[in-house]
């Protein structure tokens, strides 16, 4: 009987958890513990780090895990890197369940930047009203650009003051809707949006709203992660699980 570890925290991970629960697979769902009350999953769930790649390898051996599915967010590069190293160490099959990056389409005004710092550098010198829809962990990169007004969207109320003099916070957990994001951006008179190229559907509402409003988007490209087997469709990841993972490939 396979014992599957799902590294979660995304819509894909939740869809996979439902599929595994319906099939009766023996699986554990894992959150980092970044949010106060994560969505409940239909699988036994653990919350918190493993203690680096070595800690994850020890967990895999101790829990007799037979396959790992990394369904974390494309920007969770440290977790994904640790998973590649830990599974190699413990000789356990690993596959990533990851959605494709967004591609700009007709009417999009995107400027691609390589990373968070590049996004801060890309903001114009003149004061703007900036929608920072990138969560909480990377806001510090924008602290030096104090001439702007920031609209920041977070999952939970910030524990400490944000590094901005002129900021407004919206507390909301996605997935978001385009018409609501359009209303939000109009209400706050947003000039420019900063987004991570997360892909998927849960975070793309702001891009559809930006296109409708003719607003520019600073699009942060994904960080690099080591090569690993990757599937973008639920059917493919289940097929991998039922065939390759069983054979240990
Ligand atoms: C803790 C679990 C599900 C998963 C839902 C998806 C969609 C809604 C959209 C915006 C962008 C952002 C952020 C976002 C979205 C989904 C998905 C997604 C973006 C939860 C969740 C956890 C997290 C962690 C959180 C980060 C933050 C990023 C907010 C749960 C709700 C900006 C990414 O406060 C913090 O420290 C938040 C940290 C990592 C990025 C950051 O750097 O701050 N996600 N998000 C997971 C864990 O502990 O392991 O609370 O239920 C999950 C979801 N967030 O099951 O339906 O699939 O992407 N999450 C981004 O894409 O830019 C919001 O505002 O427009
Ligand atoms: P990260 O920077 O890649 O990981 C930092 C550390 O957090 C990891 O080394 C690991 O700690 C722990 N960790 C991360 N994901 C974990 C998981 N699913 N289960 C157990 N431990 C985990 O990760 P992150 O960007 O902070 O993302 C954290 C979580 O939020 C992930 O589940 C991710 O899917 C979700 N998320 C992130 C984003 C984003 O924009 N980054 C967006 C949506 C959802 P140890 O080294 O101690 O093992």
């Amino acid at each position: 009987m396979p014992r599957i570890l799902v590294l979660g925290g995304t819509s894909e991970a939740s869809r996979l958890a439902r599929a595994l629960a319906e099939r009766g697979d023996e699986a554990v769902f894992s959150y980092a513990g970044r949010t106060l009350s994560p969505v409940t999953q239909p699988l036994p769930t653990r919350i918190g780090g493993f203690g680096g790649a070595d800690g994850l390898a020890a967990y895999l051996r101790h829990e007799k895990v037979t396959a790992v599915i990394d369904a974390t967010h494309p920007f969770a590069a440290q977790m994904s890197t640790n998973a590649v190293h830990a599974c190699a160490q413990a000789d356990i099959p690993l596959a990533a369940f990851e959605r494709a990056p967004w591609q700009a389409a007709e009417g999009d005004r995107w400027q691609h930047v390589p990373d968070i710092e590049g996004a801060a550098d890309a903001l114009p010198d003149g004061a703007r009203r900036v929608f920072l829809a990138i969560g909480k962990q990377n806001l510090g990169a924008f602290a030096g650009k104090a001439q702007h007004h920031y609209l920041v969207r977070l999952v939970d109320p910030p524990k400490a003051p944000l590094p901005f003099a002129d900021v407004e916070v919206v507390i909301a957990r996605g997935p978001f809707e385009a018409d609501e994001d359009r209303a939000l951006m109009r209400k706050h008179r947003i000039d420019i949006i900063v987004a991570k190229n997360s892909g998927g559907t849960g975070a793309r509402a702001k891009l559809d709203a930006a296109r409708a409003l003719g607003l520019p988007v600073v699009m942060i490209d994904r960080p690099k992660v080591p090569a690993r087997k990757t599937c973008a469709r639920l059917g493919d990841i289940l097929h991998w699980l039922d065939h390759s993972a069983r054979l240990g490939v």
Side-chain angles (χ1 to χ4, degrees), residues 95-145:
F97 181 21
E98 183 173 85
R99 61 266 187 140
W102 293 310
Q103 307 280 342
E106 182 70 28
D108 286 332
R109 293 175 54 196
W110 293 5
Q111 175 188 354
H112 284 271
V113 294
D115 50 31
I116 300 279
E117 287 67 30
D121 293 343
L123 291 180
D125 291 338
R128 291 290 190 282
R129 298 179 63 83
V130 183
F131 182 19
L132 277 185
I134 56 169
K136 176 177 76 184
Q137 298 181 92
N138 306 115
L139 294 176
F142 297 86
K145 302 280 183 164

Side-chain angles (χ1 to χ4, degrees), residues 104-199:
E106 182 70 28
D108 286 332
R109 293 175 54 196
W110 293 5
Q111 175 188 354
H112 284 271
V113 294
D115 50 31
I116 300 279
E117 287 67 30
D121 293 343
L123 291 180
D125 291 338
R128 291 290 190 282
R129 298 179 63 83
V130 183
F131 182 19
L132 277 185
I134 56 169
K136 176 177 76 184
Q137 298 181 92
N138 306 115
L139 294 176
F142 297 86
K145 302 280 183 164
Q147 69 270 41
H148 303 302
H149 167 81
Y150 291 102
L151 173 66
V152 170
R153 179 152 62 185
L154 301 176
V155 178
D156 296 316
K159 296 189 186 76
L162 299 181
F164 305 121
D166 183 3
V167 62
E168 193 146 2
V169 178
V170 168
I171 303 300
R173 167 188 275 115
F176 301 103
E177 297 296 330
D179 53 358
E180 288 165 10
D181 273 8
R182 190 155 78 177
L184 180 72
M185 294 199 240
R186 294 181 78 149
K187 175 182 172 197
H188 292 272
R189 295 185 279 102
I190 296 301
D191 298 314
I192 186 166
I193 293 96
V194 178
K196 294 174 176 174
N197 196 336
S198 314

